[in-house]
PDB file of all heavy atoms in Angstrom:
ATOM      1  N   LYS B 236     -84.317 135.853 -33.275  1.00  0.00           N
ATOM      2  CA  LYS B 236     -82.954 135.670 -32.766  1.00  0.00           C
ATOM      3  C   LYS B 236     -82.773 136.354 -31.403  1.00  0.00           C
ATOM      4  O   LYS B 236     -82.268 135.759 -30.440  1.00  0.00           O
ATOM      5  CB  LYS B 236     -81.972 136.261 -33.801  1.00  0.00           C
ATOM      6  CG  LYS B 236     -80.532 135.902 -33.543  1.00  0.00           C
ATOM      7  CD  LYS B 236     -79.663 136.512 -34.635  1.00  0.00           C
ATOM      8  CE  LYS B 236     -78.211 136.537 -34.181  1.00  0.00           C
ATOM      9  NZ  LYS B 236     -77.395 137.365 -35.058  1.00  0.00           N
ATOM     10  N   VAL B 237     -83.205 137.609 -31.326  1.00  0.00           N
ATOM     11  CA  VAL B 237     -83.064 138.362 -30.066  1.00  0.00           C
ATOM     12  C   VAL B 237     -83.929 137.738 -28.966  1.00  0.00           C
ATOM     13  O   VAL B 237     -83.490 137.577 -27.818  1.00  0.00           O
ATOM     14  CB  VAL B 237     -83.453 139.854 -30.262  1.00  0.00           C
ATOM     15  CG1 VAL B 237     -83.575 140.565 -28.917  1.00  0.00           C
ATOM     16  CG2 VAL B 237     -82.429 140.552 -31.134  1.00  0.00           C
ATOM     17  N   LEU B 238     -85.148 137.341 -29.351  1.00  0.00           N
ATOM     18  CA  LEU B 238     -86.052 136.762 -28.349  1.00  0.00           C
ATOM     19  C   LEU B 238     -85.496 135.448 -27.809  1.00  0.00           C
ATOM     20  O   LEU B 238     -85.606 135.147 -26.618  1.00  0.00           O
ATOM     21  CB  LEU B 238     -87.449 136.563 -28.946  1.00  0.00           C
ATOM     22  CG  LEU B 238     -88.221 137.872 -29.180  1.00  0.00           C
ATOM     23  CD1 LEU B 238     -89.438 137.645 -30.065  1.00  0.00           C
ATOM     24  CD2 LEU B 238     -88.652 138.498 -27.848  1.00  0.00           C
ATOM     25  N   GLU B 239     -84.908 134.654 -28.682  1.00  0.00           N
ATOM     26  CA  GLU B 239     -84.335 133.382 -28.219  1.00  0.00           C
ATOM     27  C   GLU B 239     -83.165 133.641 -27.273  1.00  0.00           C
ATOM     28  O   GLU B 239     -82.989 132.958 -26.262  1.00  0.00           O
ATOM     29  CB  GLU B 239     -83.899 132.510 -29.397  1.00  0.00           C
ATOM     30  CG  GLU B 239     -83.388 131.155 -28.915  1.00  0.00           C
ATOM     31  CD  GLU B 239     -83.385 130.077 -29.990  1.00  0.00           C
ATOM     32  OE1 GLU B 239     -83.711 130.395 -31.154  1.00  0.00           O
ATOM     33  OE2 GLU B 239     -83.051 128.928 -29.653  1.00  0.00           O
ATOM     34  N   ARG B 240     -82.355 134.663 -27.606  1.00  0.00           N
ATOM     35  CA  ARG B 240     -81.231 134.997 -26.708  1.00  0.00           C
ATOM     36  C   ARG B 240     -81.741 135.534 -25.372  1.00  0.00           C
ATOM     37  O   ARG B 240     -81.161 135.293 -24.321  1.00  0.00           O
ATOM     38  CB  ARG B 240     -80.349 136.068 -27.350  1.00  0.00           C
ATOM     39  CG  ARG B 240     -79.347 135.496 -28.338  1.00  0.00           C
ATOM     40  CD  ARG B 240     -78.253 136.493 -28.612  1.00  0.00           C
ATOM     41  NE  ARG B 240     -77.468 136.829 -27.431  1.00  0.00           N
ATOM     42  CZ  ARG B 240     -76.619 137.837 -27.353  1.00  0.00           C
ATOM     43  NH1 ARG B 240     -76.450 138.634 -28.381  1.00  0.00           N
ATOM     44  NH2 ARG B 240     -75.939 138.069 -26.249  1.00  0.00           N
ATOM     45  N   THR B 241     -82.849 136.258 -25.434  1.00  0.00           N
ATOM     46  CA  THR B 241     -83.381 136.860 -24.198  1.00  0.00           C
ATOM     47  C   THR B 241     -84.069 135.816 -23.328  1.00  0.00           C
ATOM     48  O   THR B 241     -83.847 135.760 -22.117  1.00  0.00           O
ATOM     49  CB  THR B 241     -84.385 137.989 -24.550  1.00  0.00           C
ATOM     50  OG1 THR B 241     -83.740 138.903 -25.424  1.00  0.00           O
ATOM     51  CG2 THR B 241     -84.849 138.725 -23.296  1.00  0.00           C
ATOM     52  N   TYR B 242     -84.920 135.003 -23.950  1.00  0.00           N
ATOM     53  CA  TYR B 242     -85.761 134.081 -23.170  1.00  0.00           C
ATOM     54  C   TYR B 242     -85.232 132.649 -23.136  1.00  0.00           C
ATOM     55  O   TYR B 242     -85.753 131.821 -22.386  1.00  0.00           O
ATOM     56  CB  TYR B 242     -87.205 134.099 -23.709  1.00  0.00           C
ATOM     57  CG  TYR B 242     -87.913 135.398 -23.383  1.00  0.00           C
ATOM     58  CD1 TYR B 242     -87.902 136.465 -24.273  1.00  0.00           C
ATOM     59  CD2 TYR B 242     -88.560 135.571 -22.160  1.00  0.00           C
ATOM     60  CE1 TYR B 242     -88.526 137.662 -23.964  1.00  0.00           C
ATOM     61  CE2 TYR B 242     -89.194 136.764 -21.852  1.00  0.00           C
ATOM     62  CZ  TYR B 242     -89.165 137.806 -22.757  1.00  0.00           C
ATOM     63  OH  TYR B 242     -89.782 138.981 -22.435  1.00  0.00           O
ATOM     64  N   GLY B 243     -84.239 132.337 -23.956  1.00  0.00           N
ATOM     65  CA  GLY B 243     -83.679 130.990 -23.951  1.00  0.00           C
ATOM     66  C   GLY B 243     -84.615 129.963 -24.549  1.00  0.00           C
ATOM     67  O   GLY B 243     -84.507 128.770 -24.257  1.00  0.00           O
ATOM     68  N   ALA B 244     -85.597 130.414 -25.357  1.00  0.00           N
ATOM     69  CA  ALA B 244     -86.543 129.491 -25.992  1.00  0.00           C
ATOM     70  C   ALA B 244     -86.889 130.048 -27.368  1.00  0.00           C
ATOM     71  O   ALA B 244     -86.949 131.275 -27.534  1.00  0.00           O
ATOM     72  CB  ALA B 244     -87.808 129.370 -25.138  1.00  0.00           C
ATOM     73  N   PRO B 245     -87.116 129.157 -28.338  1.00  0.00           N
ATOM     74  CA  PRO B 245     -87.439 129.665 -29.670  1.00  0.00           C
ATOM     75  C   PRO B 245     -88.810 130.337 -29.700  1.00  0.00           C
ATOM     76  O   PRO B 245     -89.766 129.837 -29.118  1.00  0.00           O
ATOM     77  CB  PRO B 245     -87.431 128.395 -30.536  1.00  0.00           C
ATOM     78  CG  PRO B 245     -87.645 127.268 -29.592  1.00  0.00           C
ATOM     79  CD  PRO B 245     -87.085 127.687 -28.276  1.00  0.00           C
ATOM     80  N   MET B 246     -88.878 131.495 -30.352  1.00  0.00           N
ATOM     81  CA  MET B 246     -90.147 132.227 -30.451  1.00  0.00           C
ATOM     82  C   MET B 246     -90.287 132.773 -31.862  1.00  0.00           C
ATOM     83  O   MET B 246     -89.293 133.055 -32.521  1.00  0.00           O
ATOM     84  CB  MET B 246     -90.169 133.383 -29.440  1.00  0.00           C
ATOM     85  CG  MET B 246     -90.116 132.905 -28.006  1.00  0.00           C
ATOM     86  SD  MET B 246     -89.732 134.217 -26.858  1.00  0.00           S
ATOM     87  CE  MET B 246     -91.316 134.532 -26.184  1.00  0.00           C
ATOM     88  N   ASP B 247     -91.543 132.911 -32.304  1.00  0.00           N
ATOM     89  CA  ASP B 247     -91.818 133.430 -33.633  1.00  0.00           C
ATOM     90  C   ASP B 247     -92.392 134.835 -33.523  1.00  0.00           C
ATOM     91  O   ASP B 247     -93.025 135.172 -32.516  1.00  0.00           O
ATOM     92  CB  ASP B 247     -92.861 132.525 -34.307  1.00  0.00           C
ATOM     93  CG  ASP B 247     -92.281 131.860 -35.536  1.00  0.00           C
ATOM     94  OD1 ASP B 247     -91.188 132.290 -35.969  1.00  0.00           O
ATOM     95  OD2 ASP B 247     -92.906 130.917 -36.045  1.00  0.00           O
ATOM     96  N   VAL B 248     -92.187 135.622 -34.550  1.00  0.00           N
ATOM     97  CA  VAL B 248     -92.786 136.960 -34.563  1.00  0.00           C
ATOM     98  C   VAL B 248     -93.653 137.071 -35.818  1.00  0.00           C
ATOM     99  O   VAL B 248     -93.172 136.878 -36.933  1.00  0.00           O
ATOM    100  CB  VAL B 248     -91.693 138.058 -34.572  1.00  0.00           C
ATOM    101  CG1 VAL B 248     -92.342 139.437 -34.542  1.00  0.00           C
ATOM    102  CG2 VAL B 248     -90.745 137.877 -33.396  1.00  0.00           C
ATOM    103  N   LEU B 249     -94.935 137.324 -35.618  1.00  0.00           N
ATOM    104  CA  LEU B 249     -95.875 137.455 -36.732  1.00  0.00           C
ATOM    105  C   LEU B 249     -96.348 138.909 -36.790  1.00  0.00           C
ATOM    106  O   LEU B 249     -96.103 139.687 -35.871  1.00  0.00           O
ATOM    107  CB  LEU B 249     -97.096 136.540 -36.512  1.00  0.00           C
ATOM    108  CG  LEU B 249     -96.790 135.092 -36.130  1.00  0.00           C
ATOM    109  CD1 LEU B 249     -98.077 134.377 -35.748  1.00  0.00           C
ATOM    110  CD2 LEU B 249     -96.095 134.375 -37.289  1.00  0.00           C
TER     111      LEU B 249
END
Side-chain angles (χ1 to χ4, degrees):
Chain B
K236 192 179 163 192
V237 169
L238 288 166
E239 184 160 4
R240 277 197 63 193
T241 306
Y242 289 92
M246 296 166 103
D247 243 348
V248 182
L249 311 172

